[in-house]
């Protein structure tokens, strides 16, 4: 984790995905860092949050690049997760920014349709529902509609399972996992959600852990560690992979 921290220090802070990934990686790995690195990380988080706030647009979403006028739905969910995790760890979070973010998420949830606009567009919706549940503002009606749609991608099903578990409904989370295969038909990369096979395995690992599926969690943990043992190093991971693995 200290190697990962050294890698994160070099992130160039250009796009919001990278900014949020850096913040999430720092927060999730804080307890595993050396005392010196943990102290550095604690000082970095408020700076990351401040930069993040500057990326919020009038509609409450967050731009992918500074100065853009269009909100990116995936990085907006990442921004919300970052704010929620930071707040849970005792950092001060701008309530106005968080409130506008939640309004944006609710609006996108209601506007979403199950017909795929792009591959894994259902994962974007599932991640949005996950971040709302994480913030204590779960939309269980929308979660139920999504669960009952019967056409979820493997990745979206795993993320939706986590959303249910965060609401205290681990039984439903576990039920969703039991209803799908152990892996998708094929591991692919996905530009709109920054997806990679390794990132998606990290999503599955969290889902199995949150639902109490120890056996399943061990399988995904072994697969992830196996990739690391085979030569994967922090500097060879995408920022998205480091955020979700952390």
């Amino acid at each position: 984790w200290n190697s990962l921290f050294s890698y994160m220090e070099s992130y160039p802070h250009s796009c919001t995905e990278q900014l949020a990934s850096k913040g999430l990686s720092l927060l999730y790995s804080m307890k595993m860092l050396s005392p010196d690195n943990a102290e550095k990380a604690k000082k970095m988080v408020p700076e990351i949050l401040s930069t993040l706030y500057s990326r919020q647009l009038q509609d409450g979403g967050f731009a992918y690049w500074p100065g853009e006028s269009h909100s990116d739905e995936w990085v907006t969910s990442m921004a919300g997760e970052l704010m929620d995790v930071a707040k849970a760890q005792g950092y001060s979070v701008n309530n106005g920014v968080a409130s506008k973010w939640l309004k944006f998420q609710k609006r996108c949830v209601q506007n979403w349709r199950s017909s795929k606009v792009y591959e894994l567009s259902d994962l974007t919706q599932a991640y949005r529902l996950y971040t709302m549940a994480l913030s204590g503002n779960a939309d269980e009606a929308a979660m139920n509609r999504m669960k009952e749609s019967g056409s979820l991608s493997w990745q979206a099903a795993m993320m939706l399972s986590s959303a249910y578990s965060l609401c205290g409904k681990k039984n439903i989370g576990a039920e969703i996992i039991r209803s799908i295969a152990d892996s998708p038909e094929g591991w692919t990369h996905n530009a709109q959600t920054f997806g990679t096979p390794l990132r998606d395995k990290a999503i599955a690992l969290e889902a199995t852990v949150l639902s109490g599926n120890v056996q399943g969690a061990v399988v995904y943990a072994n697969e992830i560690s196996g990739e690391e043992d085979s030569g994967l190093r922090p500097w060879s991971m995408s920022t998205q992979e480091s955020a979700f693995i952390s």
Side-chain angles (χ1 to χ4, degrees):
W1 293 109
N2 289 292
S3 296
L4 177 60
F5 174 78
S6 298
Y7 170 56
M8 287 186 291
E9 281 191 299
S10 67
Y11 283 8
H13 293 199
S14 52
C15 66
T16 306
E17 186 277 329
Q18 196 167 92
L19 181 73
S21 290
K22 180 176 182 178
L24 288 169
S25 297
L26 290 172
L27 289 167
Y28 283 130
S29 65
M30 194 81 71
K31 293 181 180 179
M32 293 172 280
L33 298 175
S34 68
D36 286 346
N37 284 342
E39 193 59 34
K40 291 179 183 178
K42 289 177 183 177
K43 294 179 181 178
M44 292 165 66
V45 171
E47 297 174 2
I48 292 172
L49 287 170
S50 179
T51 304
L52 182 74
Y53 299 154
S54 70
R55 310 280 177 92
Q56 189 175 43
L57 302 178
Q58 286 299 313
D59 64 3
F62 288 77
Y64 183 78
W65 291 105
E68 285 188 337
S69 59
H70 175 70
S71 295
D72 183 288
E73 294 183 20
W74 186 267
V75 299
T76 294
S77 289
M78 290 188 72
E81 182 178 2
L82 175 58
M83 289 188 289
D84 287 330
V85 176
K87 187 174 183 179
Q89 292 191 19
Y91 293 92
S92 176
V93 171
N94 187 305
N95 289 331
V97 172
S99 178
K100 287 177 63 178
W101 168 84
L102 181 59
K103 289 179 181 178
F104 178 88
Q105 296 294 80
K106 288 180 176 179
R107 187 163 59 251
C108 287
V109 163
Q110 295 304 314
N111 292 339
W112 184 80
R113 297 296 179 267
S114 59
S115 56
K116 291 188 176 181
V117 178
Y118 54 84
E119 187 180 6
L120 294 185
S121 59
D122 58 350
L123 176 58
T124 299
Q125 174 77 340
Y127 185 33
R128 183 159 42 233
L129 292 168
Y130 167 94
T131 59
M132 290 174 65
L134 186 66
S135 71
N137 296 281
D139 187 335
E140 293 192 37
M143 290 164 58
N144 291 337
R145 288 195 299 271
M146 192 170 202
K147 179 174 70 71
E148 294 163 5
S149 67
S151 59
L152 293 182
S153 66
W154 183 87
Q155 292 88 337
M158 283 293 185
M159 187 65 81
L160 185 62
S161 168
S162 291
Y164 273 105
S165 294
L166 289 174
C167 295
K169 297 187 176 181
K170 293 185 178 183
N171 59 322
I172 299 180
E175 174 189 319
I176 292 174
I177 293 174
R178 286 194 299 269
S179 71
I180 60 176
D182 293 334
S183 63
E185 293 183 3
W187 294 106
T188 61
H189 291 70
N190 180 262
Q192 288 86 355
T193 70
F194 307 92
T196 66
L198 184 60
R199 193 284 307 273
D200 293 347
K201 289 177 184 178
I203 289 175
L205 175 58
E206 180 180 26
T208 50
V209 169
L210 289 176
S211 70
N213 184 346
V214 177
Q215 183 177 358
V218 169
V219 171
Y220 294 117
N222 285 338
E223 289 185 10
I224 291 171
S225 63
E227 293 193 40
E228 292 175 334
D229 290 342
S230 65
L232 186 66
R233 295 292 181 267
W235 49 88
S236 67
M237 287 192 290
S238 71
T239 51
Q240 186 82 184
E241 288 170 342
S242 66
F244 277 78
I245 288 174
S246 298

